[in-house]
Amino acid sequence: MSKLKDPTLLKEACLIDGAWVQAASGETIAVTNPADGSVVGRVPHLAAEEIPAVIAASAVAQRAWAALPAKERAAKLRRWFDLMIENVDDLGLIMTLEQGKPLAEAKGEIAYAASFIEWFAEEAKRIYGDTIPAPKADQRITVIRQPIGVTAAITPWNFPAAMITRKAAPALAAGCSMIVRPADLTPLSALALGELANRAGIPAGVLQIVTGSASKIGKVLTDSDVVRKLSFTGSTEVGRLLMAQCAPTIKKMSLELGGNAPFIVFDDADLDAAVEGAMASKYRNAGQTCVCANRIYVQRGVYDAFAAKLQAKVAALKVGDGTEPGTDIGPMIEPKALDKVEDHIRDALEKGAALVQGGKRLGGLFFEPAILTGVTPAMKVAKEETFGPLAPLFAFDTEEEVVAMANDTIFGLAAYFYTRDHARMVRVSEALEYGMVGHNTGLISNEVAPFGGVKQSGLGREGSKYGIEEYLEIKYICSAV
Ligand SMILES: NC(=O)C1=CN([C@@H]2O[C@H](COP(=O)(O)OP(=O)(O)OC[C@H]3O[C@@H](n4cnc5c(N)ncnc54)[C@H](OP(=O)(O)O)[C@@H]3O)[C@@H](O)[C@H]2O)C=CC1
Ligand SMILES: O=C(O)[C@H](O)CS(=O)(=O)O
């Protein structure tokens, strides 16, 4: 890839025990650019039989890594953060070429991804314990927190860097090792991060990155009793499967799964702010994020005004190759993603909705950002996650009605609402059954706050002071004195 300042960041190999390794079979997987179908690179297609050695290396490395003083682990993580920031242009370009998002968004994700490493480099030094007054004079009670041990992560294609560091940073900060299996569609970002981890002095085997069959590699990782924790980001369907696979070994799990975010606009909202928030929440990454507004509810008195304002903004979005200046919406990741958006539009139209903006294929994997009006709870788009650039507008009359509709889903990841009434802000933020709620904002993701869902959107939290708990075990020590 000639445009890289540092071409050695394009790693077409797996990171195993500190070395860059090909599959024993020599088989590879092509990584293609969703903008034009060109091959960006090729990564190894490891066989399942090659994974036990990776797990063994992880176990050896983890013991030495955990034995380091926290301050030394923190310093290496901080160096990894610094190297990511220094290489943001190359990391962003690699991401745009394999995932499609506009370059500015890709660079923004690199900064977001790096922020987790910066944050947990600091948290590494603050893993405190407790002393507890004993019930007997000849006893002393202490509580310490220790790393879980060998961990694994399986990550999705939509945030090829942030979903790696949001798991690896707390794991390594806690003294764990981690084996990462990135999505086949976007492994190059993860492998570039692995190269920078090596350069940062993170010891061989502490962070390993393997590519190949998700189900076969996943099965080896979930079956292993050495792997004590699995962190997964992806669909609820695969999350359920992995939970079942982890049950026989009683693995700790973190699950960041599907969403179906309601975005509610009350009639007392600042409409321009609400439109800006809807644009940011809905069309980021071409709508391919789990916290995207999936259902937009607008109180009847402002419905037409909101729809008109939103349509004007959406009509101005530039769809194109993510490397082209001014592109707002890149290609979608694969053909089935466009099929799902079209299916949701077709179903809504058959049930009485109107397509007032966009909704056409633009060739290849490009899709025209769309708006539906007259949407009702009877339509697929009310129950299923579109994961694409489609804004379905529902009208509502009362607060009670819209909260009930917003909560009528198996998901509970993110929700958003716009109101300038303080009492309503308190009532609605407490009534919404979601792990994360945005009030008068459509962007809630950062490294300092606990990211995660309730109901069938997942288990656990990532980021924040809570995120490191996912990689620690509590040990209670009772001493007779
Ligand atoms: N809560 C969150 O933060 C996020 C949730 N999601 C949700 O995921 C969906 C879209 O993302 P998508 O990546 O397609 O989700 P998938 O669940 O299909 O894939 C996620 C990851 O799991 C891997 N995978 C797939 N099947 C298995 C299996 N049987 N065993 C082990 N690993 C497997 C995939 O590998 P491969 O792709 O190589 O086959 C990929 O690396 C949406 O529902 C979205 O909401 C997505 C991102 C973030
Ligand atoms: O996978 C996702 O969709 C991300 O978690 C969304 S975010 O963290 O970038 O908001």
Side-chain angles (χ1 to χ4, degrees):
M1 205 187 301
S2 59
K3 296 179 190 170
L4 288 179
K5 297 172 185 170
D6 178 357
T8 65
L9 283 175
L10 183 69
K11 307 306 286 188
E12 296 181 280
C14 291
L15 177 56
I16 296 177
D17 207 7
W20 293 102
V21 176
Q22 296 303 323
S25 66
E27 284 181 51
T28 60
I29 303 163
V31 182
T32 56
N33 181 342
D36 60 12
S38 62
V39 176
V40 180
R42 307 187 73 89
V43 297
H45 191 287
L46 290 185
E49 295 72 22
E50 298 176 89
I51 301 305
V54 179
I55 295 172
S58 196
V60 170
Q62 188 273 328
R63 284 190 287 272
W65 178 244
L68 287 179
K71 195 170 183 179
E72 284 187 34
R73 289 201 298 273
K76 294 179 185 297
L77 286 171
R78 176 71 206 200
R79 181 69 188 129
W80 192 19
F81 163 77
D82 291 337
L83 289 170
M84 280 189 69
I85 299 303
E86 288 169 23
N87 291 279
V88 63
D89 291 342
D90 282 349
L91 295 174
L93 179 56
I94 289 171
M95 183 183 299
T96 293
L97 292 177
E98 68 171 354
Q99 198 271 348
K101 66 181 69 175
L103 196 51
E105 254 189 76
K107 292 180 182 178
E109 183 187 332
I110 297 302
Y112 174 54
S115 73
F116 290 105
I117 300 174
E118 180 188 40
W119 173 266
F120 285 108
E122 295 153 3
E123 290 295 285
K125 296 182 280 188
R126 294 169 182 80
I127 300 174
Y128 301 133
D130 298 303
T131 57
I132 300 172
K136 295 179 181 175
D138 62 350
Q139 280 182 341
R140 295 295 181 270
I141 293 176
T142 53
V143 174
I144 62 174
R145 290 147 86 210
Q146 295 178 302
I148 281 182
V150 173
T151 70
I154 296 174
T155 57
W157 49 261
N158 59 341
F159 287 84
M163 293 309 100
I164 306 289
T165 60
R166 200 161 77 181
K167 299 167 174 26
L172 272 54
C176 296
S177 57
M178 180 166 271
I179 300 164
V180 177
R181 191 280 174 181
D184 276 348
L185 291 167
T186 57
L188 298 174
S189 295
L191 294 168
L193 294 181
E195 169 61 16
L196 294 181
N198 278 353
R199 296 182 192 177
I202 292 173
V206 170
L207 177 66
Q208 298 182 90
I209 303 168
V210 296
T211 54
S213 162
S215 56
K216 292 176 180 173
I217 291 177
K219 192 70 172 62
V220 177
L221 294 172
T222 54
D223 284 353
S224 166
D225 200 33
V226 174
V227 175
R228 294 307 317 136
K229 158 103 190 177
L230 176 69
S231 181
F232 171 71
T233 293
S235 63
T236 293
E237 177 193 357
V238 173
R240 289 192 193 100
L241 173 72
L242 292 173
M243 268 188 98
Q245 289 182 198
C246 286
T249 54
I250 314 290
K251 272 182 196 32
K252 297 269 186 183
M253 295 195 81
S254 295
L255 297 172
E256 298 293 344
L257 305 178
N260 180 8
F263 186 104
I264 304 168
V265 182
F266 287 99
D267 54 16
D268 69 318
D270 175 335
L271 279 195
D272 291 326
V275 167
E276 284 305 315
M279 291 298 292
S281 173
K282 177 67 262 185
Y283 295 103
R284 180 164 71 106
N285 200 16
Q288 300 170 119
T289 97
C290 57
V291 291
C292 278
N294 199 62
R295 299 167 283 160
I296 300 179
Y297 296 98
V298 186
Q299 201 153 21
R300 208 172 295 281
V302 295
Y303 185 92
D304 292 342
F306 178 88
K309 287 175 179 283
L310 185 69
Q311 184 176 1
K313 293 283 188 183
V314 173
L317 290 173
K318 180 173 180 277
V319 180
D321 187 315
T323 61
E324 294 298 321
T327 295
D328 299 305
I329 304 283
M332 300 190 74
I333 193 67
E334 57 187 338
K336 71 178 182 180
L338 286 87
D339 297 343
K340 187 172 187 183
V341 180
E342 276 189 333
D343 177 48
H344 281 184
I345 291 173
R346 185 183 310 114
D347 170 78
L349 295 178
E350 286 169 359
K351 294 172 182 170
L355 181 61
V356 297
Q357 176 63 38
K360 294 192 298 292
R361 289 174 183 257
L362 300 174
L365 294 175
F366 296 99
F367 194 86
E368 192 180 18
I371 300 173
L372 286 166
T373 58
V375 182
T376 71
M379 298 169 187
K380 278 186 182 179
V381 73
K383 293 280 187 255
E384 297 175 5
E385 184 178 40
T386 305
F387 228 61
L390 170 63
L393 305 188
F394 302 66
F396 73 92
D397 294 302
T398 69
E399 183 181 306
E400 294 68 24
E401 172 200 6
V402 73
V403 168
M405 286 196 289
N407 287 337
D408 181 20
T409 172
I410 64 169
F411 297 107
L413 191 58
Y416 311 87
F417 70 103
Y418 278 71
T419 179
R420 286 180 283 195
D421 180 302
H422 178 73
R424 170 173 280 162
M425 183 278 282
V426 173
R427 287 195 307 272
V428 173
S429 56
E430 292 177 357
L432 288 169
E433 297 166 356
Y434 290 85
M436 302 176 283
V437 176
H439 167 236
N440 290 349
T441 180
L443 292 175
I444 57 176
S445 304
N446 56 62
E447 74 282 14
V448 305
F451 187 105
V454 298
K455 296 165 77 174
Q456 297 189 38
S457 284
L459 297 171
R461 293 296 183 270
E462 296 189 306
S464 80
K465 67 175 185 177
Y466 302 97
I468 203 161
E469 300 294 341
E470 304 284 330
Y471 295 93
L472 293 167
E473 289 285 13
I474 289 174
K475 178 180 284 178
Y476 147 51
I477 302 163
C478 182
S479 304
V481 294

